[in-house]
Amino acid sequence: MEKIDKYQLIAMTILFIIGSSPLYQLGIEVNQDAWLVMLTGMLAGLLLLFVYIYIQKRNADKSLYQILKRHFGRWIGTLLAVAYIFYFVYESMRNTREFGDIINVAFLPSTPLFLLMLIMIVLSGYAVSKGIEVFFRVVEFLLPITLIGYLLLVIMFVSTNLIHLERLLPILENGVMPVIKAAIPKVISFPFGQVVVFLVFWNHLNNRKVLTKVTVLSYLFVGMFLLVFSILNLAILDPTITSISTLPMLRSVRLIQIANFLERLDPIIMMLIYIGIFVKMTAFYMAAVLWLSQLIKMNHKMLTLVVGGFIYAISFISPNLIHHLWVGFEQNLKYHFPIFQIYVPLLLAMIIMLRSLFSPKRKRGTRPSPAAKKNGQT
């Protein structure tokens, strides 16, 4: 079995959750309280993360596919596994199309969309064909580049006096409930609930004792990172402008102008977003290939082309970026993704807990030994 170390897991967790999230202003329907939506979603997602970790800890040497078969039975478990394969493929497709549309709209309007997406899927497919170890090592290399890039953006925002924190006031003008409704389940589903895919990779960790610590600390770090960029978008653009911007972070970056020569820094943010999208779409792509390989007993390298071709083909479903984003934020995050990210994992965790409480082995362990009975002990 291929192995990954804790540093690779840290890098993967951070870059995966970042993905394309900084580009959007999640929870903007509550205006200046959108940053509280991000905070609420992060905290709720943290509870969900502990559910995922509990599932993995109770089945330390198994992937999610094996866990589903073990606890739901052969037929239901296999059916759920097939459903998860389609979920992983669909998530990968969304990132492929997202990359193509963003580049096409913002930078290369004359370049055919099919060519941009083809480049993305070929690069991702190559990474998938090389296996988990190689992919995680590449992600480990990309982490410092990404963090330095975002840090430079923050420094430039501060140095150009673009940040006006008074735009975040008043706080909770309409109460707490609008914030909670905006965060659950949408912000849980994107980006925090997508961590469910790590149930495919966690059993490859070479030191499973550090799983909880490494994953939770990485999650908290990236959660605070996304919170900072949520605040930046609101404080730079104003909630009103942010609410009508398709890609508010890109609009914020375009406002940077230092000494009349350092401006138009769009390529920097797009490079950073490309790294995030590449990591996320490849993780989902790889998860789908690995699961299908286990399901039909075929070499994962042979399936890389098949799955990649299918992802590429369904990437043309949406007619444009606006429709693609509407389906994602208004349909998938509310109704579809929670099935795989919240409902099935919660049900699985409950089954695991009940089985551990009422298993014959546990019952035998609670009975007093014959020697104890003889001595009158209980």
Side-chain angles (χ1 to χ4, degrees):
M1 180 186 288
E2 295 182 283
K3 292 294 182 180
I4 58 176
D5 63 34
K6 65 179 182 179
Y7 299 108
Q8 292 165 351
L9 180 59
I10 290 171
M12 185 67 179
T13 304
I14 293 173
L15 288 187
F16 178 87
I17 299 177
I18 288 177
S20 61
S21 304
L23 266 182
Y24 308 107
Q25 185 59 61
L26 304 176
I28 191 57
E29 57 266 34
V30 296
N31 299 314
Q32 70 272 13
D33 289 331
W35 67 278
L36 290 173
V37 173
M38 177 63 74
L39 179 61
T40 304
M42 180 190 73
L43 295 176
L46 181 61
L47 298 177
L48 195 59
L49 178 66
F50 281 115
V51 173
Y52 300 156
I53 292 173
Y54 173 78
I55 292 171
Q56 187 64 60
K57 286 280 190 177
R58 301 294 299 184
N59 303 269
D61 59 337
K62 294 178 172 58
S63 69
L64 182 56
Y65 170 60
Q66 297 167 319
I67 296 170
L68 290 173
K69 287 183 67 176
R70 178 181 180 184
H71 295 286
F72 284 105
R74 179 181 177 185
W75 296 109
I76 296 178
T78 301
L79 185 63
L80 285 172
V82 172
Y84 266 99
I85 290 173
F86 279 103
Y87 164 67
F88 293 149
V89 166
Y90 183 77
E91 285 273 29
S92 185
M93 177 278 290
R94 289 201 59 82
N95 283 275
T96 304
R97 179 58 186 265
E98 192 174 37
F99 169 78
D101 273 329
I102 291 171
I103 296 297
N104 191 245
V105 169
F107 294 101
L108 303 172
S110 300
T111 305
L113 180 64
F114 76 86
L115 182 59
L116 294 171
M117 293 195 299
L118 181 62
I119 293 171
M120 187 67 167
I121 203 72
V122 168
L123 291 175
S124 185
Y126 180 75
V128 171
S129 69
K130 292 300 179 181
I132 293 174
E133 287 187 9
V134 173
F135 175 49
F136 272 69
R137 284 199 297 268
V138 171
V139 174
E140 186 181 19
F141 170 76
L142 292 174
L143 178 63
I145 298 173
T146 306
L147 294 183
I148 291 171
Y150 278 114
L151 179 60
L152 289 176
L153 284 179
V154 173
I155 292 172
M156 284 186 281
F157 282 139
V158 173
S159 63
T160 51
N161 297 316
L162 291 171
I163 302 172
H164 301 280
L165 294 177
E166 65 274 10
R167 290 172 176 168
L168 303 179
L169 301 174
I171 297 175
L172 295 176
E173 182 180 17
N174 299 310
V176 176
M177 287 310 299
V179 172
I180 295 175
K181 289 179 181 179
I184 302 173
K186 288 176 67 175
V187 179
I188 294 179
S189 295
F190 174 77
F192 303 111
Q194 293 174 320
V195 177
V196 69
V197 76
F198 279 73
L199 284 165
V200 178
F201 303 118
W202 277 337
N203 65 316
H204 292 270
L205 187 62
N206 58 11
N207 181 7
R208 297 192 183 113
K209 293 180 181 179
V210 302
L211 172 61
T212 302
K213 180 180 178 181
V214 163
T215 304
V216 171
L217 290 178
S218 301
Y219 177 96
L220 291 174
F221 171 82
V222 75
M224 295 307 297
F225 169 92
L226 294 178
L227 182 62
V228 167
F229 274 87
S230 178
I231 292 172
L232 285 174
N233 274 337
L234 295 169
I236 292 171
L237 293 180
D238 187 83
T240 304
I241 298 176
T242 304
S243 65
I244 61 174
S245 300
T246 305
L247 304 170
M249 178 51 67
L250 187 58
R251 191 165 183 169
S252 297
V253 170
R254 285 174 173 169
L255 295 176
I256 296 175
Q257 186 177 25
I258 301 176
N260 293 321
F261 79 93
L262 188 59
E263 56 184 11
R264 299 293 296 180
L265 300 175
D266 311 32
I268 293 180
I269 187 66
M270 291 316 304
M271 180 194 71
L272 299 174
I273 293 301
Y274 167 74
I275 292 174
I277 291 178
F278 170 77
V279 169
K280 183 170 286 190
M281 77 155 288
T282 305
F284 281 119
Y285 184 178
M286 181 171 286
V289 169
L290 292 176
W291 271 34
L292 188 59
S293 175
Q294 293 181 48
L295 193 65
I296 63 177
K297 309 300 181 185
M298 283 184 63
N299 187 288
H300 86 276
K301 291 186 177 181
M302 297 177 63
L303 293 172
T304 300
L305 281 175
V306 177
V307 175
F310 183 67
I311 291 172
Y312 181 69
I314 63 176
S315 297
F316 294 93
I317 292 176
S318 292
N320 52 57
L321 176 61
I322 301 301
H323 180 268
H324 178 76
L325 294 178
W326 177 82
V327 170
F329 285 106
E330 298 302 325
Q331 300 296 315
N332 296 149
L333 298 188
K334 288 182 179 179
Y335 309 114
H336 310 140
F337 293 170
I339 296 172
F340 302 98
Q341 299 170 350
I342 301 174
Y343 306 141
V344 172
L346 285 177
L347 179 60
L348 179 57
M350 288 175 60
I351 292 173
I352 293 172
M353 188 178 298
L354 290 173
R355 281 192 167 186
S356 66
L357 289 174
F358 298 105
S359 65
K361 183 177 180 180
R362 183 180 178 89
K363 288 180 179 180
R364 285 196 299 269
T366 58
R367 293 175 183 170
S369 65
K373 287 183 178 180
K374 186 175 181 181
N375 294 327
Q377 297 175 348
T378 59

